[in-house]
Amino acid sequence: MQELIKTTFPGFEPELITALLTEGAFKTFHPGDVLMSTGQYFRSTILVLKGRIKVYREDQEGNEFLMYYLQPGQACALSMICATRQQTSQVMAKAETDLEVLAIPLEFMDQWMLQYKTWYYFVLETYRSRFEEVLLTLDHVVFRNMDERLLFYLKRQQHTLQANIFTISPTEIAQELNSSREVISRLLKKLAEKGMIRLLKNQQVEITHLDI
């Protein structure tokens, strides 16, 4: 576990790693497991060691709107903020893949901010990076057409998965972009006709020349 933390969070000082091992709780989740629900109070914040977490909003009809993903070496800024202020969550989060995390009890959040410089800078960087991601997502929702939003979504999938070929259905994309399956299928076909992507078997998409 110690080596995994060192590798995943290389900027953490040795004393902080020792504190993480002493006070943190190692947890595993499976794809689809819900880690965070709207209206939930937090007892801990989590550091992602392996796997991927999807953070999203959900309306009363169950429609989802993707906000961002969390990957190894990252933490959820919203859980940190809600935890320290004892506020309920306004977002949902679930495991996209098999997941390993380290849960940090709330009582150590403020204490470690004062005690460990690397934790202080990590929290600040977490706030900054998640805020920028939310702004980028908001920009595409408010100022871009659906075809541009789809391009942005596919590019983010490519970057997140570090792969040019990935499996995802038009229905899944439509759900995350709050659109319809028919619209997404039509736009995917247009991108394929332009040579920007290839639609493969088993609902796989291959990125060939995706410039946005």
Side-chain angles (χ1 to χ4, degrees):
M1 176 62 67
Q2 183 175 3
E3 289 304 315
L4 178 57
I5 296 175
K6 285 182 178 180
T7 302
T8 312
F9 298 90
F12 284 175
E13 59 203 280
E15 294 80 7
L16 174 57
I17 293 177
T18 299
L20 288 169
L21 290 169
T22 303
E23 308 297 347
F26 178 76
K27 297 184 177 182
T28 62
F29 299 91
H30 300 293
D33 287 350
V34 175
L35 285 74
M36 185 190 311
S37 300
T38 303
Q40 171 187 335
Y41 280 98
F42 293 93
R43 296 182 178 179
S44 62
T45 189
I46 57 174
L47 306 181
V48 183
L49 299 173
K50 291 184 179 180
R52 183 169 67 145
I53 299 173
K54 173 185 173 182
V55 180
Y56 60 99
R57 291 272 289 173
E58 186 176 72
D59 65 17
Q60 294 180 348
E61 285 73 41
N63 298 313
E64 297 179 3
F65 178 77
L66 174 67
M67 296 181 65
Y68 52 81
Y69 292 106
L70 294 175
Q71 301 187 87
Q74 297 179 335
C76 182
L78 293 175
S79 68
M80 290 179 171
I81 294 172
C82 291
T84 54
R85 296 185 178 183
Q86 296 186 340
Q87 296 176 337
T88 59
S89 172
Q90 299 302 310
V91 299
M92 302 280 290
K94 65 182 177 183
E96 282 272 288
T97 64
D98 286 327
L99 187 67
E100 296 180 5
V101 304
L102 196 63
I104 309 301
L106 297 188
E107 57 264 31
F108 298 105
M109 290 287 297
D110 291 340
Q111 176 184 330
W112 289 357
M113 288 282 284
L114 297 174
Q115 191 171 356
Y116 304 112
K117 286 186 177 180
T118 55
W119 179 257
Y120 172 81
Y121 289 121
F122 173 75
V123 172
L124 292 185
E125 175 60 21
T126 296
Y127 290 160
R128 184 198 65 79
S129 59
R130 296 295 85 77
F131 180 69
E132 288 183 352
E133 284 188 78
V134 171
L135 283 183
L136 186 59
T137 299
L138 181 62
D139 175 72
H140 278 77
V141 171
V142 176
F143 301 112
R144 305 295 178 90
N145 296 323
M146 184 54 69
D147 55 348
E148 295 176 300
R149 289 174 59 193
L150 177 58
L151 285 172
F152 170 71
Y153 175 84
L154 293 174
K155 193 70 175 179
R156 183 159 64 172
Q157 287 287 329
Q158 181 188 36
H159 174 74
T160 301
L161 299 174
Q162 294 293 299
N164 291 326
I165 299 177
F166 45 86
T167 302
I168 191 164
S169 69
T171 301
E172 291 177 272
I173 299 175
Q175 186 179 41
E176 297 196 346
L177 296 183
N178 198 20
S179 182
S180 69
R181 184 187 186 283
E182 293 74 18
V183 169
I184 297 302
S185 295
R186 175 170 52 81
L187 292 176
L188 287 172
K189 289 179 181 178
K190 284 187 176 181
L191 292 179
E193 290 170 358
K194 293 178 180 179
M196 302 177 75
I197 66 172
R198 291 178 60 205
L199 300 176
L200 308 177
K201 295 180 180 179
N202 301 321
Q203 297 184 329
Q204 286 191 317
V205 176
E206 179 182 6
I207 305 299
T208 55
H209 186 69
L210 198 61
D211 292 327
I212 60 174

